[in-house]
Amino acid sequence: MAQANDKKNEILTASRFYLGLTLNGQKEADCFFLECQGFKRTQDAIEICEVTSQTWGAKGKAKGMVVRTKLPGNIKSGNITLRKGMTNSIDFWQWFENVQNGKWSKQRKMLALSVYNQANQELARFELAGAWPISYKIADVNARSSDIEIEEIEVAFEEFKRVK
């Protein structure tokens, strides 16, 4: 039975949040994003097929029953795509450019993505190890538009875990 002072789980909505990014364990978020896509971690299922020594079938004439077992296999992480309003900061471009110029091993970062509610409380935190940018893009420019200019970066990563 639930107690009156038990903490209730809050359902996080997709439209009332902001997403902060920190690199390499910094305490404050470097920037905040409008959108994030691609949080995905999957595990392959490996199917093993064995033939048993028991007899089966009509009157025991057939031998060796086929048994299939599924085991957990390799774990894979997808890429995430982050979109934010473009500012005068060129940090993301420089990160991408350093990878492009062959400094890949030094650009692998520990990324922390935090989901905050409107009261500025961190409600969920994800850590992505070995992260590095694989693409950089800005939205099309249109002189008649009043839309925010969007900066987009796609990030590959090796490990993904929820720590909060």
Side-chain angles (χ1 to χ4, degrees):
M1 180 173 212
Q3 299 291 325
N5 60 359
D6 283 349
K7 182 179 175 185
K8 301 288 184 199
N9 288 333
E10 180 178 346
I11 296 174
L12 303 176
T13 61
S15 62
R16 291 196 59 193
F17 80 99
Y18 65 97
L19 188 67
L21 171 93
T22 58
L23 294 174
N24 291 331
Q26 294 171 328
K27 297 212 183 263
E28 295 295 319
D30 295 323
C31 59
F32 299 97
F33 291 91
L34 303 169
E35 186 177 339
C36 179
Q37 295 178 338
F39 274 115
K40 186 173 183 180
R41 188 133 166 103
T42 59
Q43 187 164 16
D44 292 336
I46 299 170
E47 190 171 288
I48 295 176
C49 185
E50 299 175 290
V51 179
T52 68
S53 60
Q54 72 187 57
T55 59
W56 64 284
K59 299 183 183 176
K61 293 183 180 179
K63 293 189 178 186
M65 179 179 234
V66 176
V67 176
R68 296 181 189 275
T69 306
K70 289 189 178 184
L71 301 172
N74 293 331
I75 295 172
K76 295 184 273 186
S77 297
N79 298 334
I80 59 168
T81 302
L82 301 164
R83 291 182 186 92
K84 71 180 191 77
M86 189 172 193
T87 65
N88 60 351
S89 170
I90 62 170
D91 291 345
F92 282 132
W93 173 254
Q94 287 176 333
W95 189 26
F96 176 72
E97 191 174 45
N98 285 337
V99 171
Q100 179 181 322
N101 291 335
K103 300 175 186 169
W104 174 81
S105 65
K106 293 180 181 178
Q107 298 307 313
R108 295 172 65 236
K109 307 282 185 188
M110 170 62 82
L111 232 88
L113 290 166
S114 299
V115 179
Y116 297 88
N117 65 10
Q118 293 298 308
N120 198 28
Q121 298 166 320
E122 182 184 60
L123 299 179
R125 183 176 182 86
F126 301 88
E127 290 182 351
L128 293 78
W132 55 279
I134 63 171
S135 87
Y136 176 89
K137 174 182 165 184
I138 62 168
D140 294 340
V141 179
N142 182 341
R144 293 173 289 168
S145 174
S146 61
D147 291 342
I148 297 171
E149 184 59 32
I150 301 296
E151 184 176 29
E152 177 180 296
I153 189 164
E154 184 176 353
V155 177
F157 56 95
E158 296 167 0
E159 294 180 39
F160 160 40
K161 64 182 176 178
R162 183 171 178 175
V163 294
K164 181 176 183 181

